[in-house]
Amino acid sequence: MTLMSINSVSEVEELLIKNSYIADNSLSTALYLALTLNRPLFLEGEAGVGKTEIAKVLAASLNRNLIRLQCYEGLDVNSAVFEWNYSRQMLEIRLAEITGRTDQKSLSKDLYTSEFMIKRPLLRALETDPLGPPVLLIDELDRTDAPFEAYLLEILSEYQITIPEMGLIKAKSPPIVIITSNRTREIHDALKRRCFYHWVDYPDAIRELEILKIKAPEAPEILRKQIVLFVQKLRQTDLFKQPGVAETIDWAHALVQLDHLSLDPNSIDSTLGVLLKYQEDIAKIQGSEANLLLTEVRSELSMTQVG
């Protein structure tokens, strides 16, 4: 499917499902509007709920290149946009000296061209791509600082970058921009105003079971149902870090690898480190609390079915 052939929210849902991503209607709607109106999509939510995966699935579905900018504290223009290839520039200067080229103004102009640039993700995303505009993933923006956010404003509103030595570089066709944040800090309103916004929440039991059927088909049906109900109940517990969908999938794979056909107290206690990432949370759930949750899961499954 091509971007031009997407004419409805339902087609976006189908596109994602074909590539093993189960989205709810609100997420599909936000994605449809971002794609058809050429606006960046800002996805916020807890870690492990599938924000980054959306960009990967989009790129694969539309047969576009994925350009990923992984954000971190201290990220600057040199790492995100471009830097000059100083060693190559010095080589060019020495070559000019050897050949007797003395026109400094001309030489200076030649040194500041794309030939002497080391292009980073943001600049590469603005270049013409034979496959079509790429998917630009700006991942975990909340790890950066306010000055870097400010730098992004021109890119997100005009799909262009101003380089002092060269002037304006503008995309002929805007990239598909997906920005993610785990909300470890608030992102400035100026950046959010340039995007469509969607909060990616934990899935309900029915949707999480659908996800598990696709991502862990080797797990027995009863095990998948027990896992989903157990994780859903865990998220209602006062934990330092709730398990995300990624942890649910990992837990299913781990239990299958250990040949567990269903949950039992021992299998839960021995694999909680796959599901929970803080010792305080593991200590709180391990043992009697896990047994209590498992009893509730078994009771619910005996009376009704998930999905």
Side-chain angles (χ1 to χ4, degrees):
M1 182 179 289
T2 64
L3 186 57
M4 296 296 293
S5 65
I6 297 176
N7 297 309
S8 67
V9 174
S10 61
E11 288 182 1
V12 172
E13 289 184 5
E14 292 172 7
L15 183 71
L16 296 176
I17 290 173
K18 286 180 181 178
N19 288 272
S20 303
Y21 192 98
I22 308 297
D24 59 21
N25 183 259
S26 60
L27 174 56
S28 298
T29 300
L31 194 53
Y32 170 73
L33 292 174
L35 290 173
T36 54
L37 298 177
N38 291 328
R39 293 288 296 276
L41 180 59
F42 185 89
L43 300 175
E44 203 165 37
E46 298 292 339
V49 294
K51 303 183 297 297
T52 300
E53 190 67 16
I54 290 173
K56 296 178 181 178
V57 168
L58 262 185
S61 303
L62 299 173
N63 192 30
R64 303 289 180 87
N65 285 318
L66 174 66
I67 298 177
R68 179 173 181 171
L69 175 63
Q70 180 61 53
C71 298
Y72 55 87
E73 186 177 354
L75 180 64
D76 59 11
V77 173
N78 288 341
S79 300
V81 186
F82 82 101
E83 63 179 321
W84 294 112
N85 191 336
Y86 294 115
S87 59
R88 189 170 180 184
Q89 286 175 324
M90 287 301 299
L91 187 63
E92 187 72 12
I93 291 171
R94 289 173 183 171
L95 183 62
E97 291 173 349
I98 293 172
T99 58
R101 183 181 174 188
T102 57
D103 187 348
Q104 293 186 358
K105 185 176 181 180
S106 174
L107 178 59
S108 178
K109 183 178 180 180
D110 291 344
L111 288 175
Y112 292 100
T113 61
S114 60
E115 183 182 354
F116 295 95
M117 297 176 78
I118 300 174
K119 298 175 182 178
R120 304 303 188 192
L122 293 182
L123 183 56
R124 288 192 286 114
L126 300 183
E127 294 183 319
T128 301
D129 191 314
L131 294 178
V135 176
L136 171 62
L137 169 61
I138 303 176
D139 207 16
E140 298 184 326
L141 181 61
D142 52 319
R143 292 180 179 271
T144 64
D145 53 21
F148 184 75
E149 279 186 48
Y151 185 86
L152 288 177
L153 298 182
E154 181 183 17
I155 299 173
L156 297 179
S157 58
E158 304 293 339
Y159 297 107
Q160 66 184 31
I161 291 173
T162 301
I163 298 176
E165 298 87 349
M166 295 178 62
L168 191 67
I169 296 178
K170 187 176 179 67
K172 291 183 178 179
S173 298
I176 299 168
V177 182
I178 304 293
I179 304 171
T180 74
S181 168
N182 294 332
R183 208 176 188 181
T184 57
R185 68 172 181 85
E186 287 295 331
I187 302 300
H188 199 279
D189 288 345
L191 188 141
K192 287 185 176 181
R193 285 199 304 270
R194 286 161 171 79
C195 309
F196 290 157
Y197 175 88
H198 183 77
W199 174 266
V200 183
D201 208 347
Y202 295 116
D204 60 22
I206 294 175
R207 190 157 65 90
E208 192 158 23
L209 183 56
E210 291 177 356
I211 293 169
L212 211 54
K213 285 178 182 178
I214 292 175
K215 297 295 186 179
E218 71 280 10
E221 183 179 3
I222 183 61
L223 179 60
R224 291 199 299 263
K225 290 180 177 180
Q226 288 179 332
I227 287 172
V228 168
L229 278 179
F230 191 91
V231 171
Q232 291 281 325
K233 291 182 178 299
L234 263 187
R235 293 189 187 128
Q236 299 171 18
T237 307
D238 184 20
L239 298 174
F240 186 79
K241 174 65 178 69
Q242 308 290 341
V245 180
E247 283 74 31
T248 303
I249 296 169
D250 285 344
W251 199 33
H253 288 313
L255 290 166
V256 169
Q257 184 66 29
L258 294 171
D259 297 323
H260 291 297
L261 301 179
S262 63
L263 289 181
D264 59 63
N266 181 62
S267 66
I268 294 173
D269 284 350
S270 62
T271 59
L272 270 179
V274 179
L275 198 59
L276 302 174
K277 306 303 180 182
Y278 288 88
Q279 175 56 30
E280 294 82 357
D281 289 343
I282 293 174
K284 181 175 183 177
I285 298 301
Q286 216 164 30
S288 59
E289 184 66 22
N291 290 342
L292 178 61
L293 293 177
L294 179 58
T295 299
E296 293 177 3
V297 167
R298 287 171 172 170
S299 176
E300 287 187 25
L301 283 176
S302 67
M303 294 184 294
T304 184
Q305 289 186 334
V306 180

